[in-house]
């Protein structure tokens, strides 16, 4: 595989990217990638604010309605394994446009769903589009901005995630109450439509440099740097999920906050995540290992500090925001760390990255649920701190990567 040479295919200079001198065409292409990530992740998180009216309209329980999120994640995990194999030698611009078209169709199907199973099929289609996009994203960004600026490029794409995480649940709740949950779902189709237009206008043609195979992925798994990169993803993101999903019970039980104050704390988390995404991109281009270590250190510090001083309101605000900053850094740092050991196979490493993320999310949710039921939300944060510390240790011990398998 020859993804290290692909920046030339897009007619863009690696040296220009390294010096941050992106052309107007490059900025437009990257805006299309940002818009795509925002549209897809907004659609992924939207049901969080719509479960009650959705369940009532379809005649199902809220628990059953919540399975639309599970369906998206499960289909996404399977898609990540095979998407880059199935696309073969298709032009990558055509693939990205096709994924946005699939997202539009899936969101429209969910919008007009007459029963739960039609809704589920629509959400499964979204899961395919979502995971296939992220599996391709690092390789596409490398073609657009050069391998020397992957960190900053992925930070721009990940900015869409941070913004969607903040906006989607509240946007869904407000629009759902005002115009109904179907209108909120329809808005996500419109967002994907906007992303598709930006892709058509901004993305250059990106012919495939080589087709992928499961053999390529299995050979990639033999590289120690890739193995350690995947382990870092699982440790850090499983730790994050173990604690973050249950941070509200912590703020209620330990800090003693009411709903309004909790919303402000979580808003601070989201705002800090945006700043972390930008900082993570800059640091990852300087040293991916240092970026990963810094991310683990900040998350560990924030979680330990909450355990020690989380009963104080000022401390809760401060350290939840610090956690948000680390969370913003995490996707960029983890992607840069894994891809530096696979610069000649960025598409396959992207698939392994998505699989690792999905596995970490499932582990974190299961472990976190058991701990909060058996012990307390404070214990969840201890686990978060320990796993983040292990990620820091892994980053310090990880050798400089070698491109050769």
């Amino acid at each position: 595989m020859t993804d290290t040479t692909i920046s030339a295919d897009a007619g863009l200079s690696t040296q220009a990217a390294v010096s941050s001198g992106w052309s107007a065409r490059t900025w437009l292409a990257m805006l299309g990638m940002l818009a795509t990530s925002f549209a897809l992740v907004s659609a992924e998180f939207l049901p969080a604010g719509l479960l009650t009216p959705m369940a009532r309209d379809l005649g199902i329980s809220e628990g059953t309605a919540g399975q639309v999120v599970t369906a998206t994640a499960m289909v996404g995990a399977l898609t990540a394994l095979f998407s880059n194999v199935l696309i073969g030698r298709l032009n990558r611009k055509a693939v990205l446009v096709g994924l946005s078209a699939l997202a539009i169709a899936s969101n429209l199907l969910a919008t007009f769903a007459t029963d739960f199973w039609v809704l589920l099929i629509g959400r499964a289609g979204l899961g395919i589009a979502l995971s296939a996009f992220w599996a391709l994203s690092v390789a596409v960004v490398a073609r657009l901005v050069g391998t020397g600026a992957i960190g900053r490029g992925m930070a721009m794409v990940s900015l869409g995630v941070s913004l969607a995480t903040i906006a989607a649940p509240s946007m869904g709740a407000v629009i759902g109450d005002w115009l109904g949950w179907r209108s909120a779902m329809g808005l996500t189709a419109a967002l994907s439509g906007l992303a598709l237009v930006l892709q058509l206008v901004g993305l250059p043609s990106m012919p495939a440099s080589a087709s992928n195979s499961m053999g390529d992925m299995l050979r990639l798994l033999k590289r120690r740097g890739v193995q350690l990169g995947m382990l870092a993803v699982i440790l850090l993101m499983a730790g994050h999920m173990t604690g973050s999903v249950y941070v509200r019970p912590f703020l209620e039980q330990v800090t003693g906050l009411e709903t309004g104050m909790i919303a402000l704390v979580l808003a601070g988390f989201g705002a800090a995540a945006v700043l972390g995404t930008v900082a993570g991109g800059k640091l990852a281009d300087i040293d991916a290992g240092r970026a990963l270590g810094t991310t683990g250190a900040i998350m560990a510090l924030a979680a330990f500090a909450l355990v020690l001083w989380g009963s104080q309101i000022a401390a809760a605000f401060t350290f939840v925001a610090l956690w948000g900053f680390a969370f913003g850094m995490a996707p960029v740092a983890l992607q840069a760390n894994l891809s530096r050991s696979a610069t000649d196979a960025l598409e396959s490493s992207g698939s392994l990255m998505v699989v690792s993320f999905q596995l970490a999310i499932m582990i974190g949710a299961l472990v976190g649920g058991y701990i909060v039921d058996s012990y307390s939300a404070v214990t969840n944060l201890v686990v978060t701190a320990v796993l983040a510390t292990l990620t820091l240790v892994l980053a310090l011990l990880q050798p400089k990567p070698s491109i050769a398998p």
Side-chain angles (χ1 to χ4, degrees):
M1 301 188 61
T2 57
D3 283 320
T4 51
T5 65
I6 53 185
S7 59
D9 296 335
L12 300 168
S13 168
T14 300
Q15 291 302 318
V18 172
S19 63
S20 298
W22 293 0
S23 67
R25 180 184 178 188
T26 303
W27 279 107
L28 184 58
M30 291 302 300
L31 181 61
M33 294 292 288
L34 187 157
T36 305
S37 70
F38 178 75
L40 290 172
V41 177
S42 292
E44 181 183 20
F45 288 126
L46 192 71
L50 299 174
L51 286 184
T52 300
M54 187 188 303
R56 184 170 56 245
D57 187 41
L58 295 176
I60 55 178
S61 69
E62 291 186 8
T64 301
Q67 298 311 305
V68 299
V69 178
T70 305
T72 306
M74 289 182 63
V75 172
L78 293 173
T79 299
L81 280 173
F82 302 106
S83 60
N84 287 336
V85 175
L86 295 176
I87 62 175
R89 300 189 66 88
L90 293 174
N91 188 295
R92 278 17 182 182
K93 176 179 180 177
V95 173
L96 290 173
V97 170
L99 292 175
S100 288
L102 174 60
I104 294 171
S106 299
N107 287 323
L108 287 176
L109 186 61
T111 299
F112 296 105
T114 55
D115 59 51
F116 174 68
W117 293 106
V118 175
L119 177 64
L120 207 60
I121 293 171
R123 297 296 294 182
L126 176 66
I128 293 172
L130 190 70
S131 285
F133 169 78
W134 286 113
L136 271 177
S137 60
V138 176
V140 169
V141 166
R143 298 182 77 153
L144 295 174
V145 304
T147 54
I150 286 179
R152 278 164 286 172
M154 286 308 300
M156 187 169 177
V157 179
S158 296
L159 186 60
V161 178
S162 298
L163 294 174
T165 303
I166 298 170
S170 56
M171 178 178 67
V174 171
I175 297 176
D177 288 344
W178 183 30
L179 298 174
W181 71 270
R182 295 182 186 276
S183 296
M185 283 283 188
L187 177 61
T188 61
L191 290 175
S192 292
L194 175 61
L196 186 150
V197 171
L198 289 172
Q199 288 173 345
L200 288 171
V201 174
L203 289 177
S205 177
M206 291 180 282
S209 57
S211 58
N212 301 305
S213 68
M214 288 302 296
D216 294 329
M217 205 171 300
L218 292 174
R219 283 189 290 274
L220 199 60
L221 278 171
K222 295 179 181 178
R223 299 186 188 182
R224 182 166 179 78
V226 171
Q227 295 169 357
L228 293 176
M230 293 178 67
L231 178 59
V233 174
I234 293 171
L235 285 174
L236 189 66
M237 295 311 298
H240 168 74
M241 289 298 298
T242 298
S244 65
V245 173
Y246 304 99
V247 73
R248 176 165 182 163
F250 176 89
L251 294 173
E252 290 174 337
Q253 299 164 17
V254 177
T255 315
L257 298 183
E258 300 294 333
T259 302
M261 290 291 284
I262 291 174
L264 287 177
V265 173
L266 297 181
F269 178 98
V274 173
L275 297 176
T277 299
V278 176
K282 293 181 178 179
L283 185 55
D285 282 337
I286 297 171
D287 188 324
R290 187 186 304 173
L292 177 61
T294 301
T295 304
I298 294 174
M299 189 176 293
L301 172 63
F304 272 129
L306 283 169
V307 171
L308 295 174
W309 302 298
S311 59
Q312 303 172 30
I313 295 177
F317 269 88
T318 300
F319 293 114
V320 168
L322 189 63
W323 188 346
F325 187 85
F327 174 67
M329 290 184 68
V332 183
L334 290 167
Q335 287 169 330
N337 181 67
L338 194 154
S339 63
R340 66 178 179 159
S341 296
T343 55
D344 58 327
L346 291 177
E347 291 187 0
S348 293
S349 70
S351 294
L352 295 176
M353 171 66 70
V354 176
V355 171
S356 300
F357 263 94
Q358 297 288 359
L359 181 61
I361 289 170
M362 287 187 284
I363 291 173
L366 288 172
V367 171
Y370 170 77
I371 291 174
V372 79
D373 287 343
S374 303
Y375 302 96
S376 70
V378 175
T379 310
N380 286 67
L381 296 191
V382 172
V383 174
T384 297
V386 169
L387 292 179
T389 301
L390 290 176
T391 306
L392 168 61
V393 173
L394 181 65
L396 293 174
L397 296 179
Q398 190 166 332
K400 293 294 182 181
S402 171
I403 293 179

